[in-house]
Amino acid sequence: MPIKVQKDLPAKAILETENIFIMDEDRALSQDIRPLEILIINLMPIKEETETQLLRALSNTPLQVDCTFLMLESHTSKNTSASHLNKFYVFFDEVREKKFDGMIITGAPVENMEFEEVNYWEELTKIMEWSKTNVTSSLHICWGAQAGLYYHYGVPKYKRDTKLSGIYRHRVLDRKVPLVRSLDDYVMAPHSRYTEVRRADIEKHQELKILAESKEAGILMVMSEDGKQVFIQGHPEYDRMTLNGEYHRDLDKGLNPEIPCNYYEDDDPDTMPVLCWRNAANTIYGNWLNYYVYQVTPYEL
Ligand SMILES: CC(=O)SCCNC(=O)CCNC(=O)[C@H](O)C(C)(C)COP(=O)(O)OP(=O)(O)OC[C@H]1O[C@@H](n2cnc3c(N)ncnc32)[C@H](O)[C@@H]1OP(=O)(O)O
Ligand SMILES: N[C@@H](CCO)C(=O)O
């Protein structure tokens, strides 16, 4: 419900057309209840799109959420303007002394590189280390999930033979866990990646639980037993048209991409993609905020 962002963030106008209640400096959140402070490390190149998607996913509970977007000092963004970043983003140094109720690390199109080759790897590892003491729960998406599993547990990623792209059905594996308890037995979610983490490597760590998995797409969700780390290898936050954009981009580049699986009516890319994962996305984000952030975070951060 009420979500607070900086004034003039482009996502605000889009989300208001969807009846999402957005606050800014001019119209503050209620001070009777401390808003949840969520830090978003946005590593996606087209950052404005991701801002809208994540704010939408975080807006489906009555909890008050105050979002801070973070950019990395060690990477100069080509695809998002400096003026947008300077206006709406902070550097790690500006928040290092603070504590946050939640943190999100997004995906990034760097999965074909070794982690250590990514120019912001060292800075990101500092943030992941800092989060152990300064963040109540962290949610990692796609490459962010692979990076978190590698940094915290040494879980490697592997190259797939072909790119995985489409909407896949995953079996929920442990209904006792609050993160997934209110999901249906099967959940749909988008995946879009060239690499994967594997069950056998995750199972070496007793404290990691695999919560949802698909025959075709592999692991969707993993969580540490204490709920401090949540890893989602897919993109539940993606919009209806996101995979369509990636497909056409790759087509235009001459990469001969496969049509995203289970996405267009009759696999016809000239039709409107069918949205069938939004409910699951809202439930996953709502459960994370409620059970792993709000219910366990200290009253005074
Ligand atoms: C696996 C997952 O997590 S999925 C998430 C990734 N998905 C997406 O990013 C979807 C949207 N992205 C895109 O459509 C494309 O990446 C585009 C169109 C924005 C750019 O594609 P290209 O022109 O081929 O590549 P380009 O040279 O601009 O680099 C793309 C991005 O790769 C990343 N990157 C490339 N090299 C490096 C590097 N050495 N270190 C760190 N990041 C790097 C950067 O994020 C860069 O974008 P940025 O500078 O705006 O942050
Ligand atoms: N989701 C990504 C995969 C690249 O890491 C894309 O197609 O842009």
Side-chain angles (χ1 to χ4, degrees):
M1 233 210 349
I3 192 151
K4 186 179 171 210
V5 297
Q6 268 177 279
K7 206 169 153 186
D8 303 331
L9 187 79
K12 186 170 184 271
I14 299 168
L15 294 171
E16 279 171 349
T17 66
E18 301 173 21
N19 297 328
I20 293 174
F21 188 22
I22 307 274
M23 304 291 218
D24 57 31
E25 298 92 89
D26 288 349
R27 194 173 170 206
L29 295 167
S30 156
Q31 289 309 305
D32 298 338
I33 304 167
R34 179 176 73 72
L36 296 173
E37 299 272 352
I38 306 292
L39 184 65
I40 299 178
I41 321 293
N42 189 354
L43 306 174
M44 293 289 273
I46 307 170
K47 297 197 191 305
E48 293 186 27
E49 220 174 71
T50 306
E51 289 155 18
T52 306
Q53 293 172 358
L54 288 178
L55 293 172
R56 180 186 292 121
L58 290 169
S59 70
N60 277 286
T61 77
L63 298 167
Q64 302 195 97
V65 177
D66 192 347
C67 291
T68 302
F69 289 98
L70 187 141
M71 60 179 160
L72 297 177
E73 227 161 333
S74 41
H75 178 78
T76 306
S77 187
K78 270 195 289 186
N79 296 286
T80 302
S81 73
S83 63
H84 181 85
L85 292 172
N86 292 335
K87 191 163 178 191
F88 300 115
Y89 281 65
V90 298
F91 285 125
F92 180 45
D93 269 347
E94 297 168 64
V95 295
R96 179 193 286 280
E97 301 304 326
K98 282 188 65 174
K99 296 208 171 193
F100 287 86
D101 302 298
M103 177 170 91
I104 296 176
I105 302 182
T106 69
V110 292
E111 50 173 334
N112 286 324
M113 293 177 209
E114 295 301 323
F115 290 111
E116 293 79 5
E117 280 171 26
V118 174
N119 60 19
Y120 50 74
W121 180 246
E122 203 186 318
E123 189 178 358
L124 187 63
T125 58
K126 278 192 189 137
I127 296 173
M128 291 195 278
E129 190 57 35
W130 162 89
S131 73
K132 289 182 184 171
T133 48
N134 289 51
V135 177
T136 300
S137 181
S138 300
L139 187 150
H140 309 69
I141 304 168
C142 198
W143 181 82
Q146 298 176 342
L149 282 165
Y150 178 67
Y151 178 72
H152 293 292
Y153 299 97
V155 170
K157 66 176 161 65
Y158 300 90
K159 281 203 170 125
R160 294 174 47 89
D161 293 337
T162 52
K163 182 178 179 182
L164 180 74
S165 170
I167 313 302
Y168 294 89
R169 191 173 88 134
H170 310 79
R171 178 85 195 182
V172 172
L173 299 175
D174 189 344
R175 308 206 61 89
K176 289 191 291 302
V177 177
L179 185 67
V180 296
R181 191 184 286 143
S182 49
L183 289 169
D184 293 334
D185 284 346
Y186 284 100
V187 287
M188 305 302 286
H191 288 269
S192 175
R193 56 191 158 80
Y194 296 91
T195 58
E196 63 188 14
V197 290
R198 294 188 182 155
R199 168 175 268 278
D201 294 311
I202 294 167
E203 279 177 341
K204 289 180 187 153
H205 300 271
Q206 266 193 340
E207 65 273 45
L208 291 178
K209 260 185 173 307
I210 299 173
L211 298 180
E213 191 178 21
S214 136
K215 281 198 189 109
E216 305 79 18
I219 305 280
L220 176 65
M221 269 192 278
V222 178
M223 198 183 83
S224 63
E225 221 159 22
D226 60 5
K228 269 187 85 72
Q229 309 284 355
V230 173
F231 306 98
I232 301 180
Q233 228 198 163
H235 281 287
E237 81 289 355
Y238 264 15
D239 283 336
R240 181 197 293 271
M241 301 306 283
T242 314
L243 289 181
N244 177 69
E246 293 180 357
Y247 171 69
H248 284 285
R249 175 203 67 204
D250 291 350
L251 208 56
D252 293 348
K253 278 188 179 170
L255 295 177
N256 202 17
E258 282 186 24
I259 295 174
C261 180
N262 195 23
Y263 182 52
Y264 302 107
E265 294 277 11
D266 302 323
D267 291 334
D268 175 357
D270 291 329
T271 61
M272 175 70 89
V274 178
L275 182 64
C276 61
W277 61 93
R278 178 68 61 76
N279 261 333
N282 290 342
T283 305
I284 293 166
Y285 275 84
N287 286 349
W288 175 65
L289 273 183
N290 184 13
Y291 295 114
Y292 300 92
V293 182
Y294 173 67
Q295 292 195 23
V296 288
T297 204
Y299 185 74
E300 299 275 1
L301 262 181

